[in-house]
Amino acid sequence: MFKQYIFLLILSLFSIQGFAAGCPDGSEPVRSISADGTYFVFECGGNSNKIDFQIINLTDFEDSYFTDKADYASSKMTNTITKNLVLIYPLGDFLSVTQNDEMDFLGSVHVSHERIIDDSQIKKTLQTVKKFLANKSCIDARGKNDLLNTIEWVLKNGFYTGLQDPLCRDVRFVMMSVSPEQRKDNNKELLRVFFHEIYHSLQNDLRNNCSGPNDLWVIEAAAEYFAKHSVSIFDNSQQDYVQSIFHWAVQNASRHGFKLEDPGVAEKGLGALRLKIEEGWLDESRILNGSLFHNCARVEEFQDNDPKIQYLKDNWFKIEKHNGTYRFNTSMTKADVKNQFLNSDEEEIETVNYNTKLDEVCRGLINNNWNSYLNINKNEFNSKGYMFIVAGEGGRCESGIGRTKETH
């Protein structure tokens, strides 16, 4: 596989890389210099779509930590059309969580940390983003300015992020923070989040006017499926990623309900996608190579009037653990699923060191699930219920909602 990295001469404050994946027809891309002379662009012969992937890395991680994994993800996709900019920045210690009445770039929950990057790094980052946006005609001047102002606001306030913004059909922006916990060696959660967001940036039809009743769980679950598959390759473990998929699907069903919705929509959707694969209705490769997100296929193939989709919704959570191995058992009832999980003595969770702030380790889960928790708490528990969070040594967090402190 042809691969080339370009390191810009922007002192030692941060680096940005451009790299290429192979062309869809298997040929090698042709390298040229960008218009401003600061990075390489790779173009497939006879194709006007340029394979353009840039990473701004403000962390202490080696640049190759991210470029190798982004290269891997891109190389697995077919007919990649997107030009991507990825901004990765470090955070300091956790400070607070703020709930807002209105939604903005970060949602309605802001998780703030100590800022550990300086003004000069922020300034140079904004200059690089501005260069990336300069020739993107699909974004008007106001849109570019709004994005630059938002990035500056997030960085200066030390806010947590983990998101992908489809700016245009073929232009994507990924922004993700790295906490002190995630900066530890071999952190699987950092890998998972990175692969999840990178996959979103490579989903072709997010801005193709494709809209269907099951978009949320299909889009999110596919990104999570790819992430779990990729992590199993990069962490050099023998863990069966399919067993991991089963585990997180049934756990979220037991704790967050049996509808394919938040909280835990990505993990719940894993169960539905896996069931469709095992029934022979979906080739796993279409998730892993991104072709499920070509030409609005994920809308056409996931319609509620399709009996197969209704079957998935009725059975995705019917997962049993038999002789230590998860498998589907569609004869199970919802009560069976809940009781199996509650009665299991194998689901003990190793807790983090007491010197570690729980809010720091699990800020992403709090951020993503807080709105759903508030709605469930209000509608089911008259605003008197509880949300509980448990953090594992590997940086993975789990949550649940209950009427009392004891019944979570």
Side-chain angles (χ1 to χ4, degrees):
M1 178 67 66
F2 179 88
K3 180 164 61 178
Q4 177 70 50
Y5 297 95
I6 177 69
F7 299 89
L8 299 189
L9 298 177
I10 307 178
L11 301 179
S12 60
L13 295 175
F14 70 95
S15 60
I16 179 170
Q17 302 80 31
F19 68 92
C23 295
D25 63 1
S27 64
E28 301 295 349
V30 177
R31 188 184 75 181
S32 60
I33 302 295
S34 65
D36 62 5
T38 59
Y39 60 90
F40 290 134
V41 171
F42 299 86
E43 185 174 5
C44 292
N47 190 338
S48 61
N49 290 324
K50 295 178 180 178
I51 302 173
D52 189 344
F53 214 129
Q54 298 173 249
I55 297 179
I56 302 174
N57 174 23
L58 303 180
T59 74
D60 292 331
F61 280 93
E62 292 291 334
D63 298 315
S64 59
Y65 180 87
F66 297 110
T67 56
D68 287 353
K69 293 162 185 64
D71 192 0
Y72 167 82
S74 183
S75 72
K76 297 302 178 185
M77 300 296 113
T78 59
N79 299 319
T80 302
I81 65 169
T82 58
K83 303 171 182 66
N84 309 282
L85 178 65
V86 182
L87 171 57
I88 308 167
Y89 61 98
L91 294 173
D93 290 337
F94 168 83
L95 295 177
S96 64
V97 177
T98 304
Q99 172 71 36
N100 303 294
D101 294 330
E102 298 181 358
M103 298 283 286
D104 56 28
F105 183 75
L106 300 178
S108 64
V109 179
H110 296 171
V111 183
S112 60
H113 294 248
E114 291 181 356
R115 178 173 41 123
I116 60 175
I117 57 175
D118 59 39
D119 288 342
S120 64
Q121 288 175 290
I122 294 175
K123 181 179 179 180
K124 290 182 182 297
T125 296
L126 295 174
Q127 291 173 346
T128 304
V129 175
K130 187 174 182 179
K131 285 184 178 180
F132 175 82
L133 296 173
N135 64 348
K136 306 301 185 291
S137 59
C138 60
I139 312 170
D140 61 23
R142 180 177 178 179
K144 294 175 181 179
N145 191 58
D146 286 346
L147 180 60
L148 288 167
N149 289 336
T150 298
I151 293 171
E152 182 178 21
W153 168 68
V154 170
L155 294 179
K156 286 190 172 181
N157 285 279
F159 288 134
Y160 157 84
T161 60
L163 56 87
Q164 181 269 160
D165 189 358
L167 301 175
C168 311
R169 175 177 176 269
D170 61 349
V171 180
R172 308 296 174 81
F173 175 62
V174 172
M175 189 172 190
M176 59 176 287
S177 55
V178 181
S179 70
E181 182 70 18
Q182 288 177 319
R183 291 200 292 275
K184 293 180 179 179
D185 291 341
N186 302 316
N187 188 283
K188 294 182 182 180
E189 181 65 1
L190 175 60
L191 273 180
R192 186 195 66 79
V193 174
F194 183 78
F195 278 125
H196 183 107
E197 300 304 338
I198 288 297
Y199 184 87
H200 277 320
S201 77
L202 299 171
Q203 289 172 304
N204 281 357
D205 65 8
L206 297 189
R207 289 292 296 270
N208 277 22
N209 296 319
C210 295
S211 179
N214 299 298
D215 284 352
L216 178 60
W217 70 263
V218 175
I219 292 171
E220 290 299 327
E224 191 65 16
Y225 199 106
F226 180 84
K228 290 190 179 301
H229 182 274
S230 300
V231 169
S232 72
I233 293 174
F234 274 83
D235 69 3
N236 296 316
S237 74
Q238 300 302 313
Q239 180 184 7
D240 183 350
Y241 73 94
V242 174
Q243 287 298 298
S244 177
I245 285 171
F246 278 132
H247 171 81
W248 291 111
V250 71
Q251 183 187 76
N252 277 270
S254 300
R255 291 179 170 173
H256 300 309
F258 301 102
K259 292 183 178 180
L260 290 169
E261 61 185 19
D262 272 324
V265 67
E267 288 80 2
K268 292 176 180 178
L270 288 173
L273 289 182
R274 188 64 206 175
L275 181 57
K276 196 172 189 187
I277 290 169
E278 296 202 4
E279 291 291 343
W281 302 333
L282 175 65
D283 192 323
E284 182 187 54
S285 65
R286 296 184 61 214
I287 299 174
L288 300 180
N289 66 22
S291 61
L292 182 60
F293 298 90
H294 294 177
N295 304 316
C296 298
R298 47 98 177 174
V299 174
E300 298 173 5
E301 298 174 27
F302 288 84
Q303 291 291 329
D304 281 338
N305 59 5
D306 184 344
K308 294 178 180 178
I309 300 305
Q310 191 56 54
Y311 176 86
L312 298 183
K313 291 187 174 184
D314 291 340
N315 294 283
W316 66 266
F317 50 84
K318 296 179 180 179
I319 300 169
E320 69 173 355
K321 199 165 191 178
H322 179 73
N323 294 331
T325 301
Y326 287 111
R327 66 182 186 183
F328 284 113
N329 180 352
T330 56
S331 67
M332 297 178 74
T333 65
K334 292 179 179 179
D336 292 336
V337 175
K338 276 185 170 291
N339 291 335
Q340 171 190 237
F341 191 85
L342 293 174
N343 295 333
S344 174
D345 59 0
E346 300 180 20
E347 302 297 339
E348 295 182 4
I349 302 168
E350 296 180 355
T351 56
V352 296
N353 186 297
Y354 287 111
N355 292 324
T356 302
K357 294 181 179 179
L358 183 61
D359 286 335
E360 156 63 26
V361 179
C362 299
R363 81 236 178 283
L365 182 143
I366 296 171
N367 186 25
N368 293 333
N369 291 334
W370 187 254
N371 286 337
S372 298
Y373 158 68
L374 291 179
N375 290 333
I376 294 174
N377 192 28
K378 179 180 179 180
N379 296 330
E380 297 187 17
F381 304 134
N382 195 28
S383 297
K384 296 180 180 179
Y386 293 83
M387 179 180 186
F388 77 92
I389 307 290
V390 179
E393 291 285 1
R396 181 75 190 197
C397 296
E398 303 174 21
S399 69
I401 300 172
R403 187 176 301 277
T404 68
K405 291 182 180 180
E406 290 74 28
T407 60
H408 49 253

